Amino acid sequence: MKSILNLQSPVIGLSPMDGITDYATREIVKEYGNPDLIYTEFVNVMGLCIAGFNTLKELEYSELQRPIIGQIYGKEPEYFYHAAKIIAALGFDGVDINMGCPAKNVASSGAGAGLIKTPQLALEIIESVKKGVADWVDNGQLTGLNEKTFKAVDLAIKVKIKEIETIHKPDSKHSAGQINLLAQDNKTKHQRVLIPVSVKTRIGYDKPITEQWISTLDSANPSWIAVHGRLLKQMYSGFADRNELKKAVNSTSKAVLINGDLLNRQDA
């Protein structure tokens, strides 16, 4: 059955936008719009592992914002492995791999939408993230971090645990804790949970290859796929191609989130 965190379909989410969907924006949107799902801005996996003390602020979130997905990007499978453990340890409801950012400094380095041109690497990254989450559940050990970064991440985890444990009765108005994977019998308890691994991408690099690309991603068995209906070369110009988005939905056995040009209720 196609589903996203067992949310009732259709799922309406706040998509990740670098420099826009920070903590404050997410808090306001959740308070007044109450989307079913929220993503963080993307965080670079190498930066998170090497200088987590500088990048962890981008992963701050409140219990109000649940269910919330931590998004990461990069091109090194080994760093994705370590970063996935951090996302899981911080109590996110899922971890998303950005394979859709068209920014020149990201895509030209082979990350973001640049991964569309290296499908084998993309599959290796998905497997690394899934293994990172699974290994963290098995042993609860963070790996690949220098001492300064480890201390910063460890502190952030303790702060998040304390925040979670102070909440006994989540406000049903905001659905906070409705899908709180850390809650049990009205008494919150931090646990190691096998969180879902998803991918956000585009329909192609310089020409549509939707069916081939989405089928490739599907072979790695992500929990769901979010698809922006534009090519990398379009950036945010033109229009999202809804015919290609339909192909995306039909090219995977997983649930698909549609992204691009949803400006109002009628568009959705």
Side-chain angles (χ1 to χ4, degrees), residues 17-19 41-45 58 71-76 80 97-118 121 125 200-202 205 232 235-236:
M17 294 169 277
D18 185 40
E41 301 171 88
F42 65 9
V43 179
N44 182 265
V45 291
E58 296 172 36
Q71 191 182 70
I72 50 180
Y73 80 99
K75 61 180 180 180
E76 306 89 357
F80 271 97
I97 305 166
N98 183 294
M99 297 189 184
C101 179
K104 186 175 181 180
N105 64 325
V106 174
S108 63
S109 72
L115 286 166
I116 296 173
K117 298 185 73 174
T118 54
L121 176 59
I125 286 172
K200 187 173 187 297
T201 189
R202 291 188 172 224
Y205 194 90
L232 176 147
M235 299 288 285
Y236 299 101

Side-chain angles (χ1 to χ4, degrees), residues 2 35 57 109 116 134 186 204 224 237 252 255:
K2 297 182 178 182
K57 188 170 182 60
S109 72
I116 296 173
N186 295 325
W224 68 83
S237 64
T252 176

Side-chain angles (χ1 to χ4, degrees), residues 1 51-52 81 87 96 102-103 105-106 108 117 120 123 135 184 193 202 207 239-240:
M1 179 179 178
Y81 171 80
I87 297 293
D96 186 77
N105 64 325
V106 174
S108 63
K117 298 185 73 174
Q120 188 55 47
L123 294 179
D135 286 353
Q184 275 191 344
V193 177
R202 291 188 172 224
K207 62 180 179 180
F239 298 95

Side-chain angles (χ1 to χ4, degrees), residues 163-177:
E163 178 189 356
I164 291 170
E165 290 180 342
T166 59
I167 298 176
H168 300 290
K169 293 182 179 180
D171 185 347
S172 61
K173 174 185 176 182
H174 300 129
S175 300

Side-chain angles (χ1 to χ4, degrees), residues 217-245:
L217 294 177
D218 181 76
S219 70
N221 199 32
S223 297
W224 68 83
I225 303 173
V227 185
H228 187 137
R230 286 181 173 84
L231 302 170
L232 176 147
K233 74 173 185 179
Q234 287 181 268
M235 299 288 285
Y236 299 101
S237 64
F239 298 95
D241 191 325
R242 294 182 180 175
N243 288 326
E244 292 298 325
L245 289 173

Side-chain angles (χ1 to χ4, degrees), residues 48-85:
L48 188 57
C49 293
I50 294 176
F53 46 92
N54 288 327
T55 58
L56 279 169
K57 188 170 182 60
E58 296 172 36
L59 292 176
E60 290 181 3
Y61 67 94
S62 74
E63 290 301 290
L64 169 67
Q65 296 173 24
R66 289 191 186 277
I68 183 166
I69 309 300
Q71 191 182 70
I72 50 180
Y73 80 99
K75 61 180 180 180
E76 306 89 357
E78 64 272 24
Y79 283 118
F80 271 97
Y81 171 80
H82 303 309
K85 291 184 176 184

